[in-house]
Amino acid sequence: MDQQAQEIREIVAGMLGSEKLRAVCAERDVGALFRLLNHRGISTRRLAAAVDISQGRLYDYMNGKSRVEKLAIFEQIADAFHIPGHLLGLASRDWEPPAVSSRQSTTPPVQERESLAVDAAASAKFARFVAARNADATTVDQLESDVARLARQFVSHPVAEVFTEIRDLREETFGLLRGRQFPRQTADLYMIAGRLCGLSAHVCLDAGDYSSATTHSRTVWVCAEAAGDNELRAWVRSVESLIAFWKGRPVQAAQLAQAGQQFRSPGTIGVRLASLEARALAVAGNAAAAADALKTANRAREAARDDDEDPGIFNFPVAKQFAYAGTTHLAIGGHRNVLKAIECAETAVTLYRRAADDDQSTGDLLAAHLDIARGHMLTGDLDATESLLSFVLDGESGQLSASILTRLDALGRELGASQYRGSSQVTQLRERIKSTAVPASLPDTEPSEPLT
């Protein structure tokens, strides 16, 4: 049996004598039941996973926006938490032991009760030790909320605005893990620490510090292993694939993306990994395999469930998939693929423009505009190339990530080819690229306070 599921059942077993629990079960008030369990230290993520519903649906139940009406869900809750069927108005469940005959006495003899009381005191002493913990369900829920917010802000805000909070929250989580908490909360904290290290890895990617990004990604893997979470295992492989790609190792990037796909997850991580694989294979010169990977990404999108995924850096929206497909088609090359690349990149821009401000990925919008610009360059439309490049070059100074700078440099070198010599338009455009392409800046990297 899954250890986390067993821990939840043990908590419920200790509450079965509670009048409050029996009352909410008798009323079939699932929202109140979830709130009770959450107050006992079970995070909302674990509650949702235990009964196989999204966190959004769970919050609706807990906030009274929706009530459970279907018998099947009551049965699922009873079986997940081992709540005896009669408490929820259900038939006895298969896992329930046979009823003990009333003739069988379970009361210990009077002379044994004193020794049992002494033994119980030792148990109470251990309970006090366990209760002295440094993180509870509220702490975990707040950290999860902060990580979700930072993950969303990361894609739409300058890195300098979120870097310090990511670093400080990561160190705070490390400090909690060095303390003591219930095992289920320790697993949650490992997930939170892993995601924060993943955000730190992306900070380093944007800055072009691939060595530091690799160090953070290794820590993500350690946290994923400690939490036993396949989604985080798969996600860190995508980060490692990105690092390899921007270090100029497309074959290794494709292999890492392929390795991540062995970890099954219901979210969009499969789409991300297949898209990364496709782009890397295209750059490595394997056009047929790249086209197959694009098809794999489409199939993964059809099977993906992203209703309970955190937005931002941990999600892979349709707009981002189109952006990656555009880059892949450009790398495959040929007139038909160039036109397809322009179409995909323009779709990505349109979808991002329709999204909420915090969901408009600055990096993906810049990359898509660069792909459209390069596509027009390859078709001979230099006016369109200059217009699209202006979107990138006229933006805020000092906000370009290392990957965007790499793309700009490559485009500038292509514009230096012999067929463009003598063109004053191209000469001016290359000068603009050299003079305005300024890397993203970060605040002081020293911790704001000494770590304890």
Side-chain angles (χ1 to χ4, degrees):
M1 180 188 297
D2 181 83
Q3 182 181 353
Q4 295 175 6
Q6 179 61 30
E7 290 172 353
I8 294 176
R9 291 173 181 176
E10 288 175 357
I11 291 173
V12 173
M15 298 171 63
L16 290 178
S18 162
E19 289 299 325
K20 187 174 290 187
L21 181 134
R22 287 176 172 268
V24 299
C25 287
E27 295 171 7
R28 286 192 163 186
D29 188 345
V30 170
L33 174 62
F34 285 145
R35 290 195 299 273
L36 276 177
L37 297 178
N38 184 236
H39 291 159
R40 286 298 184 100
I42 306 172
S43 72
T44 54
R45 183 174 66 83
R46 294 203 186 290
L47 288 171
V51 294
D52 195 25
I53 59 174
S54 69
Q55 279 191 272
R57 179 71 61 83
L58 180 85
Y59 290 139
D60 284 346
Y61 292 147
M62 293 178 70
N63 295 330
K65 294 181 179 179
S66 179
R67 284 185 65 91
V68 173
E69 302 292 346
K70 294 182 179 179
L71 179 65
I73 298 182
F74 286 112
E75 291 176 337
Q76 195 169 325
I77 290 170
D79 293 339
F81 300 145
H82 273 198
I83 298 174
H86 71 275
L87 293 182
L88 287 166
L90 304 172
S92 180
R93 313 308 299 156
D94 292 341
W95 46 264
E96 290 187 56
V100 178
S101 170
S102 60
R103 297 177 182 176
Q104 296 176 332
S105 173
T106 57
T107 305
V110 175
Q111 60 268 29
E112 294 180 5
R113 291 179 184 173
E114 270 191 38
S115 60
L116 290 178
V118 172
D119 187 55
S123 179
K125 183 178 180 181
F126 178 72
R128 288 193 295 274
F129 168 80
V130 173
R133 59 194 188 278
N134 65 349
D136 56 16
T138 302
T139 302
V140 170
D141 281 347
Q142 183 59 55
L143 287 170
E144 288 177 339
S145 176
D146 287 339
V147 170
R149 172 177 52 80
L150 288 169
R152 192 178 185 196
Q153 291 177 346
F154 187 90
V155 302
S156 55
H157 290 62
V159 176
E161 289 185 14
V162 295
F163 167 71
T164 301
E165 189 174 0
I166 290 170
R167 180 200 63 201
D168 292 348
L169 199 63
R170 186 193 71 220
E171 293 303 307
E172 178 185 340
T173 306
F174 287 169
L176 291 172
L177 281 165
R178 293 185 183 103
R180 188 172 72 247
Q181 55 280 146
F182 288 145
R184 59 188 175 279
Q185 288 158 355
T186 300
D188 286 336
L189 288 173
Y190 275 123
M191 285 292 295
I192 292 165
R195 290 189 164 200
L196 287 165
C197 287
L199 283 166
S200 297
H202 272 280
V203 169
C204 296
L205 272 167
D206 281 1
D209 185 350
Y210 303 125
S211 176
S212 295
T214 300
T215 298
H216 284 302
S217 68
R218 290 194 185 105
T219 307
V220 180
W221 179 262
V222 170
C223 290
E225 289 284 277
D229 190 272
N230 275 343
E231 185 174 2
L232 190 56
R233 289 186 180 107
W235 188 82
V236 71
R237 288 291 182 247
S238 74
V239 177
E240 292 168 339
S241 177
L242 275 174
I243 295 169
F245 183 83
W246 291 113
K247 287 175 71 175
R249 300 172 183 173
V251 174
Q252 183 187 15
Q255 291 170 342
L256 285 164
Q258 290 164 1
Q261 292 174 63
Q262 69 177 296
F263 302 109
R264 299 296 179 184
S265 173
T268 59
I269 184 61
V271 190
R272 180 192 298 270
L273 289 163
S275 298
L276 285 166
E277 180 188 0
R279 183 179 68 173
L281 288 169
V283 171
N286 194 338
D292 286 342
L294 285 177
K295 294 176 183 176
T296 300
N298 289 333
R299 289 193 297 271
R301 173 66 64 185
E302 292 173 359
R305 280 178 50 191
D306 61 354
D307 56 318
D308 59 349
E309 278 192 322
D310 286 332
I313 201 72
F314 299 112
N315 199 354
F316 199 79
V318 175
K320 195 177 187 75
Q321 184 179 355
F322 272 105
Y324 270 66
T327 307
T328 301
H329 283 293
L330 270 183
I332 292 173
H335 184 69
R336 187 177 66 176
N337 276 299
V338 169
L339 295 180
K340 185 65 175 176
I342 294 173
E343 178 186 344
C344 287
E346 287 178 341
T347 301
V349 170
T350 299
L351 291 174
Y352 272 126
R353 291 300 188 206
R354 292 175 182 169
D357 289 347
D358 275 351
D359 295 324
Q360 293 185 16
S361 172
T362 303
D364 289 330
L365 280 168
L366 293 173
H369 278 81
L370 284 174
D371 281 345
I372 301 170
R374 182 166 180 260
H376 285 303
M377 181 197 74
L378 293 173
T379 60
D381 189 347
L382 290 179
D383 288 336
T385 299
E386 183 176 10
S387 175
L388 269 296
L389 273 177
S390 293
F391 176 85
V392 180
L393 299 175
D394 293 344
E396 291 186 41
S397 176
Q399 299 303 329
L400 300 183
S401 67
S403 63
I404 296 299
L405 291 175
T406 298
R407 289 172 185 257
L408 274 171
D409 181 66
L411 186 58
R413 283 186 277 107
E414 284 189 272
L415 288 169
S418 58
Q419 67 262 38
Y420 301 117
R421 289 175 187 168
S423 168
S424 59
Q425 181 183 24
V426 171
T427 300
Q428 292 174 5
L429 194 52
R430 294 186 71 198
E431 285 302 316
R432 283 186 66 196
I433 291 174
K434 289 180 181 178
S435 62
T436 62
V438 180
S441 57
L442 291 175
D444 181 14
T445 57
E446 291 299 316
S448 55
E449 295 180 1
L451 299 177
T452 58

